[in-house]
Amino acid sequence: KTVASTSVAKAHSGAASSPEAALQDFLSTSRNGSLVEIYQPGLSGPHTLYAFVDPNCIFCHKFFDYVQAHLDQLKSAGVRVVYVPVAVWRQSSIAMAAEVAKEGWSALSRDEKGSDTSTEEGGLDGLSGADLVRYAQPVRTNTEWLKNLAAANHAGEGTPFLVWQAGNGQAYYLDGAPTGKGFQAVLDSMQNGWAPKSPQS
């Protein structure tokens, strides 16, 4: 896996409407509260940045740490961060992501604090037995969303996979973890009145 470009990636190209429609469908489903999602504490506002994350993903870990270090920047922009647990990286990811789905922020933060970046393994034991059976299903649903969004947008199924609605009303995605100017560009794109720059500008 490689970190994606920090440029803002448009959800659709040309006249094709299916990539944009897929992202908008995800945003609508999330707003209806039918997905298992973990909210970053301490953030509120009119804008939401969704991050599909795998407990064993080193780039998800870097994104998580970056968010924790830039909470003031997110607060100023009025942006909430919502983590969507998925299982794509290792066989153990499903049990770990299920633990996150069951326990929420406490499990997600434990996973990130205990993450081993040298082996790219998360910091959770993961669920087993009846709990795994119960909480693996919403993780599979989230994972199918990731796969469908990636396929519709001709992107990889890597994580983190970020989705948001920009100030122009269109949905955008980024496959990878932005930092620095790229992160600020994502936040700027959510603000009212924002419009993408033309290729000539």
Side-chain angles (χ1 to χ4, degrees):
K1 296 194 317 187
T2 57
V3 177
S5 166
T6 56
S7 62
V8 174
K10 193 169 184 181
H12 66 280
S13 59
S17 61
S18 58
E20 168 78 7
L23 292 170
Q24 292 287 4
D25 191 26
F26 164 74
L27 294 175
S28 176
T29 300
S30 174
R31 293 183 189 113
N32 290 337
S34 55
L35 298 175
V36 171
E37 301 171 334
I38 315 302
Y39 291 78
Q40 168 71 48
L43 295 179
S44 62
H47 314 295
T48 304
L49 177 61
Y50 297 91
F52 288 86
V53 293
D54 183 304
N56 286 312
C57 169
I58 189 173
F59 295 110
C60 299
H61 175 68
K62 291 179 178 179
F63 174 76
F64 180 89
D65 281 351
Y66 192 87
V67 168
Q68 307 317 305
H70 293 83
L71 292 177
D72 287 343
Q73 186 179 2
L74 286 154
K75 288 178 184 176
S76 296
V79 176
R80 305 180 305 157
V81 177
V82 176
Y83 301 94
V84 184
V86 298
V88 295
W89 192 230
R90 290 175 181 260
Q91 187 173 357
S92 61
S93 293
I94 186 67
M96 291 183 181
E99 187 172 347
V100 173
K102 178 184 179 183
E103 298 182 21
W105 175 254
S106 63
L108 178 62
S109 57
R110 285 201 317 275
D111 176 70
E112 298 301 341
K113 289 175 183 175
S115 179
D116 188 335
T117 56
S118 63
T119 60
E120 298 191 29
E121 293 179 317
L124 296 175
D125 294 330
L127 298 182
S128 60
D131 277 347
L132 176 58
V133 172
R134 177 179 178 184
Y135 290 97
Q137 185 53 51
V139 172
R140 291 190 181 99
T141 298
N142 287 352
T143 304
E144 283 304 309
W145 270 108
L146 170 61
K147 291 180 178 180
N148 291 340
L149 293 176
N153 288 278
H154 309 290
E157 295 176 6
T159 50
F161 189 92
L162 310 181
V163 180
W164 69 97
Q165 187 161 31
N168 62 354
Q170 294 180 339
Y172 287 73
Y173 76 94
L174 185 63
D175 181 6
T179 58
K181 291 182 179 179
F183 190 74
Q184 186 61 55
V186 171
L187 302 187
D188 289 344
S189 74
M190 296 184 190
Q191 306 308 309
N192 294 335
W194 176 87
K197 294 181 179 178
S198 65
Q200 293 77 24
S201 60

